Amino acid sequence: PQPDLAAEKMAVLASSRIGTPFTAGRRPQRPAQRVCVRAVAEAEVPAAKTERKLGPLQRGGTLAGEAAAGKDAGEKAKQMLDGTPAKAGTYLQIVDGKFRDDRWVNGRWDLSQFAGRDGTTNWDKVIDAEIARRKLLEDTPIPSINEEAVVFDTAEIPWWAWVRRFHLPEAEKLNGRAAMMGYVLALFVDKLTGASLLEQQGSFLGLVALHLCVFAILLVRQNADLDNFKNLADEATFYDKQWNATWDGVRRPSEEQQQ
């Protein structure tokens, strides 16, 4: 016969407790406890953003200092961009019927006051000052007196300063405009006739169209030029119209001879 394992376990448990009888039963339940969990959200620290460099449009162009103000900007605008404080003084004013400017000495511009950082004369500033002086005198005419004769001559400005200031920007604009118009017209002719760009350059009609395009751009640089040509045509025919108007209602000698 196999021993009763359950009875032996009960006997061992009973003997382990001295003086305490073994009683089988359920363990007393503990009172239910309420557990509260409080979550604390930590403030997120934003990651440090890397500053991007300003683009050309945001920083006002690719030029820096007074060059960013442009060639036609005033002295105040150039000094603000350059970071140099404005110099106190009299500039481009009419005082008591006379032209006054601290840079205008003995009837001419003092070129030493137009020197750049490298010590050479900034001819663009001289041109700007002379343009502003003539504009001021045009808007506010003053009498000329022998005591304050104007001895400054624009011929003192080197020729290359005039070319760099006026002719080069105009030539660059005209060249770009001619290239764009010529390319568009060449594409139109290619689409219309099937002649390629090289074929148009080698043909007589292509060369004629190219020269017409270039001369048209040279003659008509802006919309005001159309009005100028119209006024020129009216002036060319003005004397003929005036001559014909004097014979209104009067028989001309040539008409009498024909009769």
Coordinates of all heavy atoms in Angstrom, one line a residue, residues 25-31:
G25 N -7.9 26.7 6.7 CA -8.8 27.8 6.5 C -8.2 28.8 5.5 O -7.0 28.8 5.2
R26 N -8.9 29.8 5.2 CA -8.5 30.9 4.3 C -7.7 31.9 5.1 O -8.0 32.2 6.2 CB -9.6 31.5 3.6 CG -10.4 30.5 2.7 CD -11.6 31.2 2.0 NE -11.1 32.2 1.1 CZ -11.9 33.0 0.4 NH1 -13.2 32.9 0.6 NH2 -11.4 34.0 -0.3
R27 N -6.7 32.5 4.4 CA -5.9 33.5 5.1 C -6.8 34.8 5.1 O -7.5 35.1 4.2 CB -4.7 33.8 4.3 CG -3.8 34.9 4.9 CD -2.5 35.0 4.1 NE -1.8 33.8 4.1 CZ -0.6 33.6 3.5 NH1 -0.1 34.6 2.8 NH2 0.1 32.5 3.6
P28 N -6.8 35.5 6.2 CA -7.6 36.7 6.3 C -7.2 37.8 5.3 O -6.0 38.0 5.1 CB -7.4 37.2 7.8 CG -6.1 36.6 8.2 CD -6.0 35.2 7.5
Q29 N -8.2 38.4 4.7 CA -7.9 39.4 3.7 C -7.6 40.7 4.3 O -8.2 41.1 5.3 CB -9.1 39.5 2.7 CG -9.4 38.2 2.0 CD -10.6 38.4 1.0 OE1 -11.2 39.5 1.0 NE2 -10.9 37.4 0.2
R30 N -6.6 41.4 3.7 CA -6.3 42.7 4.2 C -7.2 43.7 3.5 O -7.8 43.5 2.4 CB -4.9 43.1 3.7 CG -3.8 42.2 4.4 CD -2.4 42.6 4.0 NE -1.4 41.8 4.6 CZ -0.1 42.0 4.4 NH1 0.3 42.9 3.6 NH2 0.7 41.2 5.1
P31 N -7.5 44.8 4.2 CA -8.3 45.9 3.6 C -7.7 46.4 2.3 O -6.5 46.6 2.2 CB -8.5 46.9 4.7 CG -7.3 46.7 5.6 CD -7.0 45.2 5.6

